[in-house]
Amino acid sequence: MEEGIELMEVKATNLYNHTIERNKRKQRNRTILSYELVLTTKAIRAVITAKKATKELKKHTKITRE
């Protein structure tokens, strides 16, 4: 009887530890995706800023050539 209880406790402990590890992996994956999204957003903003700067430079260059 005691062996059965100990076995149940071991299974419960293993399940608990497995659940904690699984949740840690999920959190790590969410964090990685969050960083990737931030970096992607920053890259897109940089491209947009560069395009705007290029347009302004072209406008300025056209004006000075005339």
Side-chain angles (χ1 to χ4, degrees), residues 3 64-65:
E3 291 177 6
T64 55
R65 284 184 186 170

Side-chain angles (χ1 to χ4, degrees), residues 16-32:
Y16 176 75
N17 289 336
H18 172 73
T19 303
I20 288 175
E21 288 300 317
R22 186 181 70 223
N23 289 340
K24 284 181 183 177
R25 280 194 307 272
K26 284 183 179 179
Q27 183 60 44
R28 250 192 326 269
N29 289 341
R30 280 194 297 268
T31 302
I32 290 169

Side-chain angles (χ1 to χ4, degrees), residues 6-57:
E6 288 178 10
L7 183 60
M8 288 172 53
E9 287 176 354
V10 168
K11 284 185 177 181
T13 303
N14 287 344
L15 179 61
Y16 176 75
N17 289 336
H18 172 73
T19 303
I20 288 175
E21 288 300 317
R22 186 181 70 223
N23 289 340
K24 284 181 183 177
R25 280 194 307 272
K26 284 183 179 179
Q27 183 60 44
R28 250 192 326 269
N29 289 341
R30 280 194 297 268
T31 302
I32 290 169
L33 289 175
S34 176
Y35 285 145
E36 288 175 352
L37 180 62
V38 168
L39 292 176
T40 304
T41 305
K42 286 183 178 181
I44 290 170
R45 286 183 185 156
V47 168
I48 291 171
T49 303
K51 284 183 178 180
K52 287 180 181 178
T54 304
K55 282 183 182 179
E56 289 298 318
L57 182 64

